[in-house]
Amino acid sequence: MQFVEKAKKIMAISSRLVDQQADRNPTQVDEQLPTFDQSDLHILDFLRCAIRVHSAHQQSPYEVFAPTIIKQLGVYKTDITGNVIFTFLQDIGVLEPWHDQIQLTQESILSEGRPNETKSIDLSGLYKSDRHSHIRHDWGRLPVYVIDSADAHELDDGISIEKQSNGTTWIHVHVADPTSRLPRNHPIALTASARGTTIYAPQQAQPMLPNEYPMGEHSLGTLDSNEGQNVLSFSALVDSQGAILKTDIRVGVVRNMHVITYKAVEKHLGVETPYMKWPFGEAPPDPTGRDIPDSSTSDLLSLMEISRVLQDRRTAMQRFTWTTPKARAIFPDKPVPVSTRIPQLWSGYPRLLYGVESGTLSPARRMVAEMMILAGQAAGRFCAERHLPALFRSAPQPIGLADRPKEFDPKLYGGDIPIEIALRNEVAGIPAHYSTNPSEHWMMGIAADGGYVRVTSPLRRFSDMVMHWQIKSALLNAQKPDISKQEMEEYARRLYEQERMISAIDKSRNNYWASVFIQRRLKHDPDDPVLHGCDAYVSTRPELDTYAREYVTQVVLPGLGLRGWLSTAKTLEWELGTKLKADVVDVTMVGKAKIRLRLSE
């Protein structure tokens, strides 16, 4: 039997299962299916390769031949795009119905340094002893608050507070110290360099560091408190107005760790504010975690107050941010099933939930974020004062602020400008980048004389590991840093491009899975009120779609955390930021996923 005949036979069986793809436990279908021989497998490999993103500078070798194969089926009455090929591979049981399309199309980037996740890692070649043991500061029983979400695995940082008799306060951010045993040329370090960052996908997280390494001794809270854990501590002395009076960096050991959740902190302090909304009703479990002892209340209240002062100080400088709510589709039941053979058909579909991050940090998240910014400033000052080559984060003033009206005063909104006002005033941010010299970070209100260096996530961000190596070498000998200016500039160029690509893929992946959820919702519950009468804010001028002979306007859908494409029969001169009401009518997956809208009646 030829490949095309085998594929048609499988697709005939697959088509009967379409109506069984509701949200119920997925099960493998026990059907007698044709077997793919070696020649068939070569064709399938070719089609998988055709889906991947290829260089825009040369013609893809798959553009002609892949559509020719699919057209022989006579099934898909449309242009043969990558999305159609992906659907075909699902229809014939090569890919699961819930296979991550972005993972496949961006495979060349996402697989970088991640080929053998299940193999044990080689721990030989690590430092036999701690090179900094003679200068490590023992923080004793000082409480260290490790605050994160309940499902977090890589616990990078904890916070301590020491009030002074003169009204000032020391804030200490204790950061996991994976470089205490890890040389820069070790295979684990080279793997982390290739990966660049941990990737948080809806189906499965892909760690930057092989799990055995950080989880064994470096993720905070994994070791017995009596044994203590090595950290790199970034300290800032702040006054009652939020001014930084002094900074310090020390290698240290922490022993009294309190691993708690954002939700637990907010519940304990009576400031619970939902960070995620679940517009379609169903939400995953959100455990509060362990109770917080009353002895910690004073520390947490003080940290919360200091974070408010720091934010108010930035707002008084007319610094601000604006964010749009972001969709987060998740599979709550992990691991998500995968096919163990080819072909394999399935009935059912894993539960897929739809959440929306509000865009405004909840009180506990804001508190932790402010403390991490303090740590970044301490790192920046340390490097600037010693003329150390470093990965300073630089972000200039946004475009469009020359003649901003009174409504753009960040004091009116606590520093978070509503998206419709940013749209109305055509304000556009300039992406942050790396500089090896101290640089201004406008939105954070950080001047160029000190700068800002990210150092608080070395278990999941390689740039932070680089800075740990550099800072710790300077603690031993500031005159001979491990990383030269030239090498740091190379890190800056490579890491910027690497992080930019992964960030874009993460955005595409969120958009893809949110769109898959809405597509399935339209099919199974087209009258869902969440998809009708949506608030929509105009974000672009209308453009004529010559193929459909309609005008298309991009809009922001805060309730869904997505952008949408609104079609109208004629051009309508809306101002940017205008609020409309729109209905979701379709989801298209050609190229990139798009939510299609019509004006509500």
Side-chain angles (χ1 to χ4, degrees):
M1 186 185 297
Q2 297 298 313
F3 175 77
V4 170
E5 282 71 28
K6 294 177 184 179
K8 285 182 176 180
K9 183 173 181 179
I10 298 171
M11 291 176 71
I13 300 171
S14 178
S15 64
R16 300 200 306 266
L17 302 173
V18 171
D19 292 335
Q20 300 179 34
Q21 301 299 335
D23 291 345
R24 57 186 178 85
N25 290 336
T27 56
Q28 296 182 355
V29 175
D30 187 17
E31 290 268 2
Q32 188 67 38
L33 301 175
T35 302
F36 291 132
D37 58 27
Q38 196 62 43
S39 176
D40 299 328
L41 294 176
H42 285 316
I43 294 173
L44 294 172
D45 286 342
F46 181 85
L47 293 174
R48 289 175 69 108
C49 290
I51 299 173
R52 296 176 187 162
V53 172
H54 301 282
S55 171
H57 303 295
Q58 59 186 20
Q59 185 174 4
S60 167
Y62 305 97
E63 283 185 0
V64 175
F65 299 107
T68 300
I69 296 171
I70 304 300
K71 286 178 181 177
Q72 290 186 49
L73 297 164
V75 174
Y76 302 101
K77 309 300 183 183
T78 183
D79 293 336
I80 307 301
T81 63
N83 184 65
V84 172
I85 298 173
F86 179 78
T87 301
F88 167 70
L89 293 176
Q90 289 180 314
D91 289 344
I92 63 171
V94 173
L95 303 176
E96 306 87 3
W98 48 88
H99 196 90
D100 191 329
Q101 185 174 1
I102 303 300
Q103 182 71 28
L104 185 57
T105 58
Q106 302 288 345
E107 196 166 35
S108 59
I109 297 172
L110 293 175
S111 64
E112 186 72 30
R114 306 174 198 264
N116 297 309
E117 296 289 359
T118 59
K119 288 189 176 181
S120 297
I121 59 172
D122 181 8
L123 296 179
S124 64
L126 298 175
Y127 291 129
K128 295 291 190 290
S129 60
D130 177 11
R131 296 188 303 162
H132 293 79
S133 59
H134 63 292
I135 59 171
R136 282 200 184 271
H137 175 73
D138 193 326
W139 292 93
R141 302 309 299 170
L142 182 69
V144 178
Y145 301 102
V146 183
I147 307 171
D148 214 319
S149 55
D151 59 353
H153 297 291
E154 301 155 319
L155 300 179
D156 292 273
D157 50 74
I159 306 165
S160 295
I161 181 171
E162 289 185 301
K163 296 179 182 178
Q164 307 300 298
S165 59
N166 62 358
T168 61
T169 305
W170 274 106
I171 300 295
H172 309 291
V173 177
H174 309 286
V175 182
D177 190 8
T179 63
S180 61
R181 296 185 58 209
L182 185 62
R184 282 203 297 140
N185 61 354
H186 191 277
I188 293 175
L190 299 178
T191 296
S193 175
R195 296 178 180 182
T197 181
T198 292
I199 296 173
Y200 297 100
Q203 296 186 2
Q204 180 183 12
Q206 301 172 23
M208 179 187 77
L209 287 166
N211 270 334
E212 299 98 312
Y213 185 70
M215 297 308 293
E217 61 182 279
H218 299 296
S219 183
L220 297 188
T222 56
L223 296 182
D224 183 85
S225 61
N226 293 323
E227 185 177 352
Q229 283 189 260
N230 287 346
V231 292
L232 185 56
S233 299
F234 300 85
S235 304
L237 180 67
V238 296
D239 66 16
S240 60
Q241 303 302 310
I244 300 176
L245 305 178
K246 189 185 297 185
T247 60
D248 192 18
I249 298 180
R250 286 173 280 185
V251 288
V253 177
V254 293
R255 304 181 186 279
N256 186 16
M257 281 171 284
H258 300 257
V259 180
I260 51 182
T261 65
Y262 296 120
K263 185 175 181 180
V265 171
E266 291 165 0
K267 181 179 179 181
H268 186 76
L269 299 181
V271 292
E272 285 185 274
T273 304
Y275 176 62
M276 291 286 292
K277 296 180 180 179
W278 304 91
F280 295 93
E282 188 177 5
D286 185 19
T288 301
R290 67 185 66 178
D291 292 334
I292 297 175
D294 291 338
S295 58
S296 300
T297 303
S298 177
D299 283 351
L300 294 173
L301 283 172
S302 296
L303 287 169
M304 196 72 75
E305 174 61 18
I306 290 170
S307 73
R308 184 194 63 77
V309 170
L310 292 170
Q311 185 180 3
D312 288 348
R313 181 180 179 87
R314 189 178 307 116
T315 302
M317 297 169 65
Q318 292 291 299
R319 301 301 196 259
F320 60 86
T321 59
W322 72 94
T323 54
T324 56
K326 182 187 297 184
R328 288 284 185 190
I330 65 167
F331 290 91
D333 306 318
K334 293 184 175 66
V336 177
V338 295
S339 296
T340 56
R341 63 179 186 271
I342 295 175
Q344 176 63 65
L345 298 181
W346 296 80
S347 64
Y349 200 92
R351 278 198 308 152
L352 181 61
L353 307 183
Y354 193 108
V356 178
E357 294 178 359
S358 65
T360 300
L361 295 178
S362 66
R365 285 177 169 81
R366 173 74 71 184
M367 177 186 77
V368 172
E370 292 292 348
M371 301 307 127
M372 299 307 111
I373 293 172
L374 276 182
Q377 289 178 271
R381 291 187 180 195
F382 179 92
C383 295
E385 290 166 359
R386 292 160 180 77
H387 306 288
L388 284 179
L391 297 172
F392 292 95
R393 291 290 284 178
S394 177
Q397 177 176 305
I399 298 169
L401 296 184
D403 300 310
R404 55 183 173 179
K406 290 183 179 179
E407 70 167 358
F408 216 90
D409 186 350
K411 295 178 184 177
L412 299 174
Y413 312 101
D416 291 319
I417 300 293
I419 182 60
E420 61 268 26
I421 293 178
L423 290 171
R424 188 155 56 235
N425 291 277
E426 301 187 49
V427 175
I430 301 174
H433 62 277
Y434 289 116
S435 170
T436 55
N437 299 311
S439 303
E440 177 188 31
H441 198 298
W442 189 90
M443 285 189 179
M444 290 184 182
I446 299 173
D449 57 350
Y452 171 74
V453 175
R454 296 196 299 193
V455 289
T456 58
S457 299
L459 301 182
R460 58 184 179 86
R461 196 164 54 208
F462 185 69
S463 62
D464 297 42
M465 285 187 70
V466 169
M467 288 313 307
H468 277 224
W469 279 310
Q470 184 75 326
I471 289 170
K472 288 168 64 180
S473 72
L475 289 173
L476 294 176
N477 186 349
Q479 305 306 313
K480 292 187 65 177
D482 272 4
I483 304 173
S484 67
K485 177 85 167 179
Q486 181 178 356
E487 191 175 3
M488 193 65 77
E489 287 174 346
E490 178 56 33
Y491 270 132
R493 284 190 293 269
R494 184 175 64 80
L495 288 171
Y496 172 76
E497 287 301 321
Q498 185 181 49
E499 291 172 8
R500 184 183 62 82
M501 287 189 294
I502 291 176
S503 176
I505 292 171
D506 181 62
K507 184 177 179 180
S508 296
R509 196 199 303 264
N510 282 334
N511 181 64
Y512 170 76
W513 281 111
S515 299
V516 166
F517 180 97
I518 292 174
Q519 188 178 54
R520 291 173 56 79
R521 198 74 171 191
L522 284 171
K523 177 180 178 181
H524 297 292
D525 189 5
D527 297 324
D528 190 322
V530 177
L531 303 177
H532 298 273
C534 305
D535 289 343
Y537 294 92
V538 175
S539 60
T540 67
R541 312 293 181 191
E543 292 185 358
L544 178 63
D545 181 341
T546 55
Y547 181 79
R549 296 187 179 182
E550 292 183 316
Y551 289 90
V552 178
T553 304
Q554 286 191 42
V555 297
V556 175
L557 303 167
L560 294 176
L562 292 171
R563 289 187 176 271
W565 279 256
L566 176 64
S567 297
T568 55
K570 58 183 180 180
T571 182
L572 299 170
E573 296 301 324
W574 291 306
E575 295 291 330
L576 296 183
T578 298
K579 180 180 178 180
L580 308 171
K581 291 289 186 179
D583 299 333
V584 178
V585 295
D586 194 13
V587 177
T588 56
M589 292 290 194
V590 178
K592 67 177 181 179
K594 292 183 178 180
I595 306 299
R596 300 292 182 176
L597 307 164
R598 296 283 184 187
L599 285 173
S600 299
E601 296 182 356

